Amino acid sequence: MRWTSRLIAGDRPGHPVATALVLALLIGLAFAPFLFPGTKSMAAASRICIVIVLAASYDILLGYTGIVSFAHTMFFAIGAYAVAVPLARGVEGWTAIIGGMFGGAVIAAVLAALIALLSLRVRRIFFSMITLAVASLAQIVAAQWRDVTGGEDGLTFALPAALGPAFRLLPEPFLGVRFDGRLITYYLIFAVCLALFWLMLRIVNSPFGRVLMAIRENEFRAEALGYRIVIYRTIASAQAAAIAAVAGGLMAVLLRYNGPQSTLSFEIMVDILLMVVIGGMGTLYGPALGATVIVLAQYYLRPGLQALSEATAALPLLPQLFHPDRWLLWLGVLFILIVYFLPAGIVGTLRRRRA
Amino acid sequence: MPPALETRGLTIRFGGQVAVDQVSCAFHPGTLTAIVGPNGAGKTTYFNLISGQLRPSAGSVHLRGQDVSRLGAPMRARLGMGRAFQLTNLFPDLSVLENVRLAVQAQSGVFLRFLSLAADRTDLTDRAMAALRRVRLDDRAATPAAVLSHGDQRKLEVAILLALEPDIFMFDEPTAGMSVDEVPVILDLIESIKAEGGKTILLVEHKMDVVRRLADRVIVLHNGALVADGDPAEVVASPIVQEAYLGVRPNA
């Protein structure tokens, strides 16, 4: 295998267009502070990095193993609270961040393994129902256990000085970019997310990953070959949960806040599902593109519509149709178009066309 | 030496229906046993009980003298029971090669490797290709299994079984639905497995010419019960088989 191919675990996007999109995304994120300076675009880029990891980790379950879980945001939130709670209680910054991410990942993995062991023996639809119940329970716990979680208000906290806007790495701006704590925060998030994505590429292209696909395709046959599918599903659930938890820890660092709305809400779960489906289940690159599309829509669809509405102000009906308050409607139209024209998702459909 | 495989009083009931009724039978290495009987006689259910897809209501399954009744299908497969299914049972979206490679991977005991690359295990790929060559499917290695013709899917099913390198081969109507010119490939293959010696082969088969050609021994299931056991020529000619297949008692 060539080293370039080895770097991505031998897993190519599988179509020139998909490759171009993935490369553009990688370069865009790697140089985001220089290409898209500004607070809002930096926030969007950071969120894209984190949500790519979250969606890709969900793809290990949904796309590779065929597990439909609605509890994935719970693990995301566990990681976020594991960082937020110690920070809010005054634990030293880096200890809280690093310890919280590790601790959160371990707690999430153990909890996911328990849920999987207890309930993956039941039929798939019942497993999904159980995860839904557990996710609701987690929301109640987060809202009611105020002493620890801060309830609905959540927790705000300060980060280490090196991650703050006042910290200067260089005294003067370079290439028009201030080398401050926010830049360090961004590259910290970017580096961790890149490492996690690479880890997931390795997992799905390992012998273990092949068995996950076999389970998705035909669990009965996988068992007849000698694979104990409950063990595989349990380990896959634990891995996905641990990775989601680290992403959650990064989200807390990015927002300097954590609450039910930022990491635990059911809307985020629906977003993750959409990202994976739009990008293409079982492709890992697809969910990365899907996550990018959705975060960009969340950030820029409203202002885009605002501009469109103003540009068409002289025409009848159109300004009302493009009113920024209608952004959810247009997001819905976008989803329907993507699902209609790309039934296997962006990367999935491109790969099929190639084959 | 204990038999390679033995069932003792093996029984399963579905509701009030007895699908397999107290079947006691021993299978020895180096012997190909054909299991015949009319549709609904319980042949496939008997296979499912042996390979662990179903748990018996009563009775037990012994592998080389060891009671494996409490083990699930995966552990029985690891102990050397290989099963090819009657209804084609593949990984449809995976390539032909990947279907076989997964069997080789299980056979090699490569179970929980998370970070090594599957593509680096060229030893597994080579063995998978060797199994595909034996069923003459090596030229279709990159094709998704779902796209194969019915006959090729049957061949793939057999290649997966070969790749498992089991001690006990269980074929469930391996040539069902195959075109006439494809059948010899499979029959020659079963003969070559037999010729290796030391393997215990069970074959569910409807076609009497196939049974006569391959079997060393024939057992007959009828309404779930073992009703005849012996030399192929004798059993096939016996009144009970004639009745079971033709539904009438031949004139004495």
Side-chain angles (χ1 to χ4, degrees):
Chain A
M1 227 187 284
R2 282 191 11 237
W3 70 271
T4 43
S5 177
R6 178 158 284 283
L7 210 57
I8 52 170
D11 192 347
R12 292 150 199 276
H15 188 281
V17 176
T19 307
L21 288 172
V22 170
L23 273 178
L25 178 60
L26 179 66
I27 293 167
L29 289 175
F31 301 102
F34 304 94
L35 296 172
F36 318 105
T39 314
K40 185 178 179 182
S41 52
M42 285 318 299
S46 311
R47 190 178 280 268
I48 286 172
C49 290
I50 295 169
V51 171
I52 282 175
V53 170
L54 182 62
S57 66
Y58 190 65
D59 194 31
I60 292 183
L61 297 182
L62 182 68
Y64 284 90
T65 322
I67 296 174
V68 181
S69 162
F70 295 110
H72 207 57
T73 47
M74 178 173 80
F75 304 117
F76 189 52
I78 285 173
Y81 279 114
V83 169
V85 171
L87 279 174
R89 297 190 160 213
V91 175
E92 191 276 319
W94 289 109
T95 316
I97 291 172
I98 295 167
M101 280 185 196
F102 271 104
V106 171
I107 294 168
V110 170
L111 189 60
L114 279 177
I115 296 170
L117 275 177
L118 292 178
S119 53
L120 273 175
R121 287 175 183 276
V122 300
R123 290 221 332 257
R124 286 180 173 188
I125 178 77
F126 293 113
F127 174 76
S128 303
M129 302 295 281
I130 289 166
T131 61
L132 201 56
V134 173
S136 305
L137 189 69
Q139 288 183 342
I140 293 169
V141 170
Q144 300 294 321
W145 198 14
R146 288 196 190 88
D147 298 343
V148 175
T149 64
E152 293 288 353
D153 296 336
L155 299 166
T156 41
F157 42 83
L159 291 177
L163 300 179
F167 183 83
R168 288 278 183 279
L169 201 60
L170 296 176
E172 293 302 317
F174 177 69
L175 293 173
V177 175
R178 243 189 241 134
F179 278 60
D180 60 3
R182 291 196 180 277
L183 191 83
I184 297 175
T185 310
Y186 177 74
Y187 277 110
L188 182 76
I189 290 171
F190 175 76
V192 174
C193 289
L194 193 64
L196 289 174
F197 194 83
W198 175 81
L199 181 71
M200 288 187 272
L201 271 178
R202 293 292 296 204
I203 289 173
V204 301
N205 287 292
S206 69
F208 172 81
R210 298 297 157 92
V211 179
L212 297 186
M213 287 190 255
I215 291 170
R216 172 193 73 197
E217 295 284 304
N218 187 344
E219 56 185 74
F220 175 84
R221 184 59 195 236
E223 282 206 310
L225 292 183
Y227 298 111
R228 287 192 283 180
I229 59 171
V230 173
I231 292 178
Y232 280 84
R233 284 172 165 178
T234 302
I235 293 174
S237 299
Q239 289 173 337
I243 293 169
V246 178
L250 294 174
M251 192 59 119
V253 169
L254 170 69
L255 300 176
R256 292 145 205 271
Y257 162 82
N258 185 51
Q261 283 308 311
S262 68
T263 49
L264 190 54
S265 78
F266 201 71
E267 281 139 55
I268 298 176
M269 192 62 241
V270 174
D271 284 347
I272 299 172
L273 264 166
L274 282 172
M275 290 165 190
V276 175
V277 171
I278 283 178
M281 287 194 280
T283 62
L284 227 52
Y285 295 109
L289 296 175
T292 310
V293 168
I294 291 197
V295 174
L296 286 179
Q298 284 167 345
Y299 272 76
Y300 296 105
L301 201 55
R302 275 179 77 114
L305 284 172
Q306 175 84 47
L308 209 57
S309 179
E310 279 162 15
T312 55
L315 300 168
L317 195 65
L318 286 180
Q320 283 79 36
L321 206 55
F322 293 131
H323 192 281
D325 284 353
R326 309 241 191 287
W327 74 283
L328 272 173
L329 169 79
W330 288 105
L331 194 60
V333 171
L334 184 71
F335 292 156
I336 292 170
L337 288 178
I338 291 179
V339 172
Y340 186 80
F341 288 105
L342 304 168
I346 301 168
V347 174
T349 309
L350 286 171
R351 277 185 183 174
R352 271 186 208 176
R353 262 184 215 163
R354 190 104 198 261
Chain B
M1 199 178 88
L5 176 70
E6 189 182 2
T7 67
R8 295 185 193 157
L10 203 60
T11 303
I12 190 167
R13 292 180 209 94
F14 298 113
Q17 180 78 22
V18 182
V20 172
D21 192 2
Q22 298 186 45
V23 176
S24 295
C25 193
F27 304 92
H28 294 275
T31 309
L32 190 152
T33 308
I35 301 166
V36 302
N39 286 327
K43 304 181 296 291
T44 298
T45 310
Y46 183 53
F47 261 26
N48 283 338
L49 287 167
I50 292 175
S51 55
Q53 274 80 24
L54 289 172
R55 298 300 163 94
S57 312
S60 55
V61 178
H62 300 260
L63 191 62
R64 293 183 288 270
Q66 181 198 350
D67 187 347
V68 294
S69 309
R70 290 176 161 277
L71 298 181
M75 294 318 285
R76 295 190 203 187
R78 292 188 200 181
L79 288 171
M81 274 193 199
R83 172 87 190 268
F85 291 87
Q86 178 190 16
L87 300 171
T88 303
N89 208 325
L90 303 164
F91 304 113
D93 274 358
L94 303 185
S95 72
V96 166
L97 176 63
E98 196 56 48
N99 267 268
V100 183
R101 235 191 48 84
L102 278 158
V104 179
Q105 188 178 311
Q107 198 279 330
S108 313
V110 179
F111 288 112
L112 298 172
R113 306 285 172 80
F114 307 106
L115 295 177
S116 62
L117 291 183
D120 281 347
R121 292 299 299 260
T122 47
D123 54 327
L124 303 185
T125 311
D126 292 346
R127 282 172 54 197
M129 284 307 293
L132 284 175
R133 269 192 292 278
R134 286 186 72 183
V135 298
R136 296 182 203 161
L137 219 50
D138 45 320
D139 55 333
R140 308 295 308 270
T143 314
V147 184
L148 293 182
S149 69
H150 177 77
D152 282 349
Q153 289 188 344
R154 306 291 310 168
K155 288 184 193 168
L156 178 54
E157 185 78 42
V158 174
I160 290 172
L161 180 57
L162 286 174
L164 281 174
E165 297 182 12
D167 299 326
I168 296 164
F169 287 78
M170 301 170 72
F171 292 99
D172 198 347
E173 297 195 45
T175 62
M178 271 190 160
S179 66
V180 183
D181 52 320
E182 286 171 321
V183 170
V185 177
I186 299 300
L187 297 188
D188 291 350
L189 197 70
I190 296 175
E191 255 176 356
S192 79
I193 296 167
K194 210 176 133 179
E196 284 171 28
K199 304 292 184 194
T200 309
I201 307 171
L202 279 64
L203 170 70
V204 167
E205 188 53 77
H206 268 303
K207 296 171 191 150
M208 284 304 142
D209 54 325
V210 174
V211 171
R212 275 194 214 94
R213 175 177 158 189
L214 294 174
D216 303 308
R217 172 192 178 198
V218 174
I219 63 174
V220 184
L221 289 183
H222 188 44
N223 292 330
L226 183 69
V227 294
D229 179 352
D231 178 70
E234 274 172 38
V235 172
V236 171
S238 69
I240 192 139
V241 171
Q242 297 293 318
E243 187 201 351
Y245 273 89
L246 302 172
V248 291
R249 193 172 287 278
N251 294 329

